Amino acid sequence: RGGVHEVSVAAPRRISLLGVLVADVTRAGMLDQVEALVERGRAGAPATVAYVNVHVMDVAARDDALVRFLASADLVYCDWAGVVLGARLAGERLTERMTGADWIWDFAARAEGNWRVFWLGGEPGVTAEAAGRLQARHPRLVIGSDHGFHTDLAPLIARINAFQPDILLVGMGTPTQEAWVARWRGALDVPVVWVLGATHDFVAGRVSRGPEWLHQRQEWLARLWVDPKRLWRRYLLGNSRFFLRVLRARRAPRL
C-alpha cells in the first residue's frame, strides 16, 4: 500500500431521515471523504461506507440489524432521487444523489495509481468483467475481483487480505451485503469497505439501466421499466411505504 499521509477534509453536513444520518455531499465530495477514510484506515482506523436509497430505507424499517449497520458506518450517502425527494418532504435538503453506475467511473479515475481495489459480488465472472471494463479505461488501476456466492468464507477472506486492497467494494444487494460486512469486517485487513449494490451488473452490461432520459431523472422508474416482474413490489409498494413514513414522521409532534 502507498505511504500514509494526512488528508484534511471537513466532515460533511448530515441530515436525519427516518432516523438514518445521511451525508449531504456531491459526487466529488464523496470521493474526497473516501480518500480521507482510506488514509485514516491505513493509519489503523478502518472505515465503512454505505448508501441509502428508497429500497434500503424501506428494508431498514423492518430490519434492526440494517439500522445498526447504517448507524455504525463512517459515511452514508444518498443513492437515488427518491431519497432526495423524501428529504425535501421531511423539510431537509440533499444536494445530489450518487448512483453507483455513475460514480464508479469517477472512482476508478481517482483510484488509478492511488488505491488498490478489490471488488466482490455478483454471479461468477460478472464482477471480473466489470473490473476489466474499468481497467480498460484506466490501465494503471490495480483491481482484483471475485463473485459473491462463496460458501467457504475463510479462503475468500484470506485472498482479499493477501491482495492488500485499500478499498473493498461489496455488491450483494441489501440487506445481504450489509449483513456480510457486519459479520466479516473485523477479519478484513482493509482500510475502507464500501457496499455498493449491483453496480457490477450495470458496468458489465448484464442489466440495462433503461432509457437514459428516464434513469437520469428517476432511476427506480427506469429499472422498473426494464424488469417490472421482479421489481414491481420493491418500487411500487416499497416507495409508497417510504413516502408514507416520511409524511407521518413530519406530522408527528416534536417533543
Side-chain angles (χ1 to χ4, degrees), residues 83-252:
V83 174
V84 175
L85 177 57
R88 192 178 308 150
L89 291 173
E92 298 283 358
R93 177 182 60 84
L94 287 170
T95 304
E96 188 177 347
R97 67 101 168 101
M98 280 78 63
T99 298
D102 292 323
W103 63 250
I104 194 69
W105 301 101
D106 294 341
F107 168 80
R110 183 79 68 102
E112 186 177 19
N114 295 313
W115 303 327
R116 295 174 63 86
V117 179
F118 198 99
W119 197 350
L120 176 68
E123 298 281 351
V126 175
T127 304
E129 184 178 350
R133 292 192 177 192
L134 296 185
Q135 208 166 35
R137 189 177 298 185
H138 301 282
R140 293 184 300 116
L141 174 63
V142 179
I143 184 167
S145 64
D146 208 331
H147 65 83
F149 291 88
H150 293 272
T151 54
D152 190 355
L153 275 299
L156 172 64
I157 301 298
R159 284 198 303 276
I160 293 171
N161 288 340
F163 188 81
Q164 294 189 306
D166 295 296
I167 298 175
L168 170 64
L169 304 175
V170 180
M172 300 175 179
T174 297
T176 302
Q177 61 194 2
E178 291 86 358
W180 191 94
V181 173
R183 168 66 180 83
W184 295 102
R185 186 67 182 97
L188 292 162
D189 183 20
V190 184
V192 172
V193 175
W194 185 344
V195 296
L196 76 165
T199 302
H200 47 267
D201 286 332
F202 298 110
V203 176
R206 301 299 178 93
V207 175
S208 170
R209 297 182 70 187
E212 184 173 0
W213 61 268
L214 186 55
H215 76 65
Q216 289 298 330
R217 293 169 176 81
Q218 292 293 338
E219 181 93 5
W220 72 270
L221 191 55
R223 291 196 64 187
L224 183 62
W225 177 306
V226 171
D227 194 357
K229 185 176 181 180
R230 185 174 68 89
L231 297 175
W232 73 270
R233 286 184 180 85
R234 174 187 295 191
Y235 293 130
L236 297 183
L237 301 182
N239 286 14
S240 299
R241 287 191 296 261
F242 167 71
F243 288 116
L244 281 172
R245 289 177 64 221
V246 171
L247 293 173
R248 285 172 183 158
R250 181 163 189 178
R251 290 198 302 267

